[in-house]
Amino acid sequence: MASFFNKGFGRKRESASSERIPPGQYETHDFPVLTAGPTPRIPLTSWTFVIDGLVKTPMQWTWEQFNALPQTSFMNDIHCVTKWSKLDTHWTGVSIDTLLEHINPSPEARYVMAHSYGDYTTNIPLDDLRNGKAFIGLNFEGKPLAPEHGGPARLVVPHLYFWKSAKWIKGLRFMETDKPGFWEQGGYSMYGDPWKEQRYRTDD
Ligand SMILES: Nc1nc2c(c(=O)[nH]1)N[C@H]1C(S)=C(S)[C@@H](COP(=O)(O)O)O[C@H]1N2
Ligand SMILES: [Mo]
């Protein structure tokens, strides 16, 4: 592989795309759609986003209320466990840090289960959602997020494999102990670090 090159001459080309592709991945310029099951269609009038579990102030937002929260722009690389990586994706949305200001996590909360419309779930450590690491994406490349990519709103956790980025997000449940979500119950990694190739539970 390119490891010799990366350690030496490659350094001055820090942003070269090859250095941004984790092991075992290839770069794609498409945006493949990966969904287990049909695409849920959620009318914005009945859309809600809920944070509950181990939090001092459980909260529920309507679509209108959620869109009134401060929004930020994000640029990220995303890495799917099926081996494609897509560089420089542009989003706007609500940082999880903004949501945390409202709900006050209990001290014992260490993990989060993301819940989606259509019943998909995925588990993520709370520390991987805070300090600018994750957000609820509402716009992708300047347009409202398309339904097949999780619109109207999806979780985006770019530093973990993309299955952790729950499409059609409907809430976050704060938990004390880790529990497997949909793919994790099927043998995928509990954590999913693409740089460590944590694809399956046996890689954890
Ligand atoms: N609700 C929900 N979220 C999901 C999935 C899903 O099936 N349902 N698939 C996951 C997987 S495996 C991947 S790779 C990405 C794919 O996102 P995309 O279809 O926008 O590329 O969404 C993740 N989030
Ligand atoms: Mo995936």
Side-chain angles (χ1 to χ4, degrees):
M1 268 286 297
S3 55
F4 168 77
F5 196 78
N6 288 348
K7 277 178 194 126
F9 315 96
R11 271 285 154 253
K12 62 174 178 289
R13 305 188 311 145
E14 203 79 296
S15 65
S17 59
S18 60
E19 297 183 11
R20 292 162 61 187
I21 307 291
Q25 300 287 115
Y26 65 87
E27 184 178 1
T28 181
H29 295 279
D30 301 334
F31 196 0
V33 172
L34 279 114
T35 303
T39 293
R41 305 274 164 170
I42 310 106
L44 298 182
T45 47
S46 53
W47 186 92
T48 58
F49 181 82
V50 175
I51 299 190
D52 61 8
L54 296 175
V55 299
K56 289 177 192 145
T57 323
M59 286 284 293
Q60 174 167 325
W61 290 266
T62 64
W63 179 250
E64 206 174 311
Q65 291 164 340
F66 198 84
N67 277 266
L69 294 169
Q71 295 190 22
T72 318
S73 301
F74 300 89
M75 189 182 73
N76 297 109
D77 302 341
I78 54 185
H79 310 291
C80 174
V81 74
T82 62
K83 303 206 166 175
W84 55 267
S85 289
K86 186 171 174 60
L87 304 183
D88 297 327
T89 62
H90 300 87
W91 304 77
T92 56
V94 177
S95 171
I96 303 296
D97 296 312
T98 301
L99 302 177
L100 291 175
E101 288 169 19
H102 289 83
I103 55 102
N104 302 308
S106 305
E108 63 272 26
R110 289 192 50 223
Y111 295 91
V112 172
M113 189 69 82
H115 289 262
S116 295
Y117 290 96
D119 285 342
Y120 184 85
T121 52
T122 189
N123 54 304
I124 304 135
L126 176 54
D127 280 346
D128 288 84
L129 296 180
R130 47 176 29 146
N131 300 321
K133 290 200 192 108
F135 58 94
I136 305 293
L138 304 171
N139 270 262
F140 176 75
E141 303 299 349
K143 296 192 194 109
L145 183 61
E148 63 271 25
H149 288 298
R154 85 180 290 170
L155 177 63
V156 184
V157 193
H159 69 289
L160 301 179
Y161 279 125
F162 207 35
W163 88 78
K164 300 285 183 181
S165 295
K167 304 198 276 190
W168 315 291
I169 189 83
K170 74 171 181 201
L172 301 174
R173 181 157 300 159
F174 285 54
M175 317 183 289
E176 184 169 2
T177 51
D178 205 4
K179 278 207 252 297
F182 177 79
W183 285 116
E184 294 82 4
Q185 287 172 38
Y188 281 84
S189 168
M190 288 296 269
Y191 185 63
D193 182 346
W195 295 97
K196 294 185 179 156
E197 277 206 87
Q198 291 173 329
R199 300 176 190 274
Y200 307 105
R201 195 71 75 86
T202 47
D203 302 324
D204 284 358

